[in-house]
Structures are given as structure tokens and as C-alpha cells.
């Protein structure tokens, strides 16, 4: 219980700092700095199918939104240069935005300390999501929206955990070449840990 009070205090401070980072303008600015040239990959779509590139992502922590945007852009640019019309990112890509949270390593350490205590880990994970899921979602979704629009390709941006109506969901996101959210899908068959 004491650990959860400390975690709650850390999360409150982190959520305040994240509120400054997470807005569409900051994501737009981070992607604009990358000076992306729009592709013409969607100028012709064959009746035989769409060219897809599955991204193999290296999960790592980020310190700045610009670093996160640049890294995600690198994957999209590789897919585009290979002729992809749709770039597909792995599940939980959106949770990488959580690493931008000030104090992330400390929060992660607190969660790791609870690895063998499923009940408290579950409560701490929910508390963490409740504190930051809105900000993480904004950073993640705004960044991928801007990347899809800049490259003029469709992006299946992976997924992130969200809280909707008090329940944790594992939601996947698809962006059109205009950067619009084209669709979402909740994971239908969660793993036993989920």
C-alpha cells in the first residue's frame, strides 16, 4: 500500500508534466522538422492488392517527442522507400510514448518490483494507465497522424492500452493517408496476462 501511495505521487507529477507535452501542435512541429517528402505510393492501387510493409520495431525509451517522432519516421520512411502503401506497426507501439513521461524509469522500477505480486501489479498498472493514458494516447496518435499525412501512406500504427468506461482495452489504430483516424479495433483475443 505504501508503494502504491509513492507511485500515485510520482504519477501525479508525471501527468502534470505530460499535459504540457501532449498536443497536436507539438506532434505536428516534431514531424514538420523532419522535412518529409510525400510519397506517391498510393497514386496507383492494384486490384490485385495493396503493398504492405510490416515494421519490426526496436522498443526503446525516448527522452524527447522529437526523438520519438524521428524514430517512428525512420520506420515509415523505410517502408515508403520499399514501395509500401500501408505500413503496419506491432502491437503496443503506442506504449512507447509512455517512455517520454518524466520519471518513467522510476515508475517502471516500481512496476517491476511488483512483478511477482499480480494483485498489486494489476492495481499499480491500472493506476499508471489512469494517470497517463490520455497523454500517451495523444502523443502516440498525433505523431502517427502527422506521419501518415506527411508520407501520404496508410499506417496501421500498432496499439496502446486505453481506459474506456472504467475498463482497460488494448486498442489498435489505423490512419489514412490524410492523417485521419480511419478505424480502431479492440484486441479480441487478449493474452492470459492481459
Amino acid at each position: 500500500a505504501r508503494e502504491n501511495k509513492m507511485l500515485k505521487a510520482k504519477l501525479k507529477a508525471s501527468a502534470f508534466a505530460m499535459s504540457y507535452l501532449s498536443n497536436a501542435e507539438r506532434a505536428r512541429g516534431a514531424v514538420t522538422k523532419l522535412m518529409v517528402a510525400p510519397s506517391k505510393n498510393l497514386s496507383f492501387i492494384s486490384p490485385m492488392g495493396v503493398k504492405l510493409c510490416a515494421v519490426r520495431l526496436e522498443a526503446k525509451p525516448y527522452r524527447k517527442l522529437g526523438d520519438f517522432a524521428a524514430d517512428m519516421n525512420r520506420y515509415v520512411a523505410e517502408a515508403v522507400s520499399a514501395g509500401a502503401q500501408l505500413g503496419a506497426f506491432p502491437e503496443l507501439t503506442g506504449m512507447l510514448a509512455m517512455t517520454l513521461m518524466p520519471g518513467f524509469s522510476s515508475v517502471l522500477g516500481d512496476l517491476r518490483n511488483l512483478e511477482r505480486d499480480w494483485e498489486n501489479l494489476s492495481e499499480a498498472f491500472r493506476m499508471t494507465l489512469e494517470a497517463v493514458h490520455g497523454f500517451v494516447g495523444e502523443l502516440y496518435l498525433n505523431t502517427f497522424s502527422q506521419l501518415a499525412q506527411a508520407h501520404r501512406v496508410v499506417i496501421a500504427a500498432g496499439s496502446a492500452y486505453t481506459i474506456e468506461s472504467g475498463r482497460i482495452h488494448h486498442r489498435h489504430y489505423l490512419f489514412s493517408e490524410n492523417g485521419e483516424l480511419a478505424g480502431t479495433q479492440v484486441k479480441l483475443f487478449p493474452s492470459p496476462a492481459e
Side-chain angles (χ1 to χ4, degrees):
R2 182 177 181 274
E3 293 86 11
N4 282 348
K5 284 183 182 180
M6 289 296 295
L7 177 61
K8 192 176 247 181
K10 289 177 190 176
L11 290 170
K12 190 174 183 180
S14 292
F16 176 76
M18 290 289 282
S19 68
Y20 169 72
L21 284 174
S22 62
N23 65 53
E25 285 302 313
R26 291 183 68 84
R28 186 176 301 114
V31 172
T32 300
K33 286 180 184 176
L34 300 171
M35 299 177 62
V36 173
S39 78
K40 295 186 189 287
N41 293 6
L42 286 175
S43 60
F44 175 76
I45 297 178
S46 164
M48 301 303 290
V50 172
K51 187 163 183 182
L52 166 75
C53 180
V55 173
R56 184 170 165 244
L57 185 72
E58 177 191 348
K60 62 183 181 183
Y62 297 95
R63 292 186 159 265
K64 298 178 194 167
L65 176 57
D67 296 339
F68 174 70
D71 212 29
M72 297 304 109
N73 178 66
R74 182 174 56 89
Y75 294 113
V76 176
E78 274 186 50
V80 166
S81 70
Q85 296 167 312
L86 189 154
F89 281 75
E91 70 177 19
L92 297 178
T93 295
M95 297 312 292
L96 291 176
M98 189 173 177
T99 66
L100 292 164
M101 175 177 79
F104 171 74
S105 58
S106 178
V107 169
L108 182 61
D110 290 348
L111 292 173
R112 283 188 174 148
N113 287 337
L114 296 171
E115 272 181 320
R116 299 193 197 302
D117 184 353
W118 280 100
E119 187 175 317
N120 281 327
L121 176 60
S122 177
E123 179 187 336
F125 184 67
R126 172 178 280 285
M127 200 177 357
T128 302
L129 279 180
E130 286 172 347
V132 300
H133 83 98
F135 306 123
V136 168
E138 279 188 57
L139 288 169
Y140 158 59
L141 298 176
N142 286 327
T143 299
F144 276 95
S145 169
Q146 293 299 315
L147 289 171
Q149 185 178 21
H151 285 279
R152 304 292 295 157
V153 294
V154 177
I155 298 178
S159 62
Y161 289 116
T162 64
I163 295 184
E164 301 162 21
S165 303
R167 295 190 59 200
I168 296 173
H169 293 279
H170 186 165
R171 185 170 293 282
H172 294 255
Y173 298 88
L174 180 71
F175 291 93
S176 75
E177 71 276 14
N178 298 322
E180 295 172 8
L181 186 59
T184 70
Q185 176 63 52
V186 171
K187 187 174 180 181
L188 297 176
F189 301 103
S191 69
E194 291 177 306

